[in-house]
Amino acid sequence: MFITVEGIEGSGKTTLLTSLDLWFQQQGRKTILTREPGSGYLGKKLRSILLNPQEQLSREAELFLFLADRAQHVADIIRPALDRGDDVLCDRFTDSTLAYQGLGRQFFNEQWLRQCNNIASLAIRPDLTLLLDMDPGQALERARSRNMRAGIAEAEGRFEAESIEFHRRIREGFRKIAQMEPERIIMFDASLSPQDLLTLAISIISARLKG
């Protein structure tokens, strides 16, 4: 099963994914926990560029670097894991491109972006996407505090430094995508406690696994 978790910065994706990974292991299932950008040799190098506030990337450069990260990520990690029959839990995937570069940057044609995603992902699509929806102001405050505690504000704070309007557009972008694909994308209130979010996510995943 290929599961992705999406949402704006600070929505709690990493916390939920870490807990889900543990739950899958407790069920006796073999999982791969991965993320975009930043998985694999190339991904780590691209992450250091894409998330660095000092990098002055054009919208075009940003898009194609994310797509390059995805293409290698799918080839090296996601497709081999799925071929082995492993479950894949991924922090961000193609929906982030549509929301961030499409709606956030207000630059690219959606149909063209979907075609780019299809090429980079080798047409692999998530079986289930958990979308963590949250007020952008609260989420950004949470994300910036997290980065300060982790000491990565200067290395990985490029998107957190964007305006609140940028993050509001991304949130609306995710909501739009969810409305278009209600069978795949399940939206949660990310202001709930981590335990409540985990319980809800497990109930949905369990039903899909039984189905």
Side-chain angles (χ1 to χ4, degrees), residues 133-193:
D133 181 64
M134 189 174 187
D135 174 75
Q138 295 177 3
L140 273 179
E141 182 178 348
R142 182 194 286 182
R144 288 165 180 165
S145 297
R146 173 204 65 203
N147 287 355
M148 289 294 292
R149 290 194 304 272
I152 60 173
E154 293 185 4
E156 295 195 359
R158 194 165 76 87
F159 285 101
E160 287 84 350
E162 293 283 354
S163 69
I164 188 67
E165 289 77 17
F166 174 76
H167 292 278
R168 285 174 179 153
R169 290 195 299 270
I170 293 170
R171 183 193 192 189
E172 290 308 309
F174 277 127
R175 286 181 161 189
K176 176 183 175 183
I177 298 166
Q179 290 173 355
M180 294 173 64
E181 299 186 62
E183 291 300 315
R184 174 175 68 87
I185 304 175
I186 308 299
M187 186 164 66
F188 297 110
D189 178 0
S191 66
L192 294 173
S193 71

Side-chain angles (χ1 to χ4, degrees), residues 61-76:
E62 178 183 274
L63 169 66
F64 285 108
L65 287 175
F66 272 116
L67 291 172
D69 171 78
R70 179 164 304 129
Q72 200 67 44
H73 184 206
V74 169
D76 289 350

Side-chain angles (χ1 to χ4, degrees), residues 101-113:
Q101 281 69 54
L103 277 296
R105 297 300 185 202
Q106 295 182 306
F107 186 65
F108 299 102
N109 174 275
E110 181 179 334
Q111 182 178 356
W112 182 77
L113 268 182

Side-chain angles (χ1 to χ4, degrees), residues 24 28 38 40 58 73 83 86 92 96 113 121 126 130 150-151 153 157 159 161 203:
F24 267 89
S58 70
H73 184 206
D83 287 345
D86 296 347
R92 299 199 182 284
S96 277
L113 268 182
S121 66
L130 309 178
F159 285 101
S203 67

Side-chain angles (χ1 to χ4, degrees), residues 34-46:
T34 189
R35 68 179 181 178
E36 290 190 358
S39 294
Y41 176 76
L42 178 63
K44 290 180 174 63
K45 288 183 174 295
L46 292 178

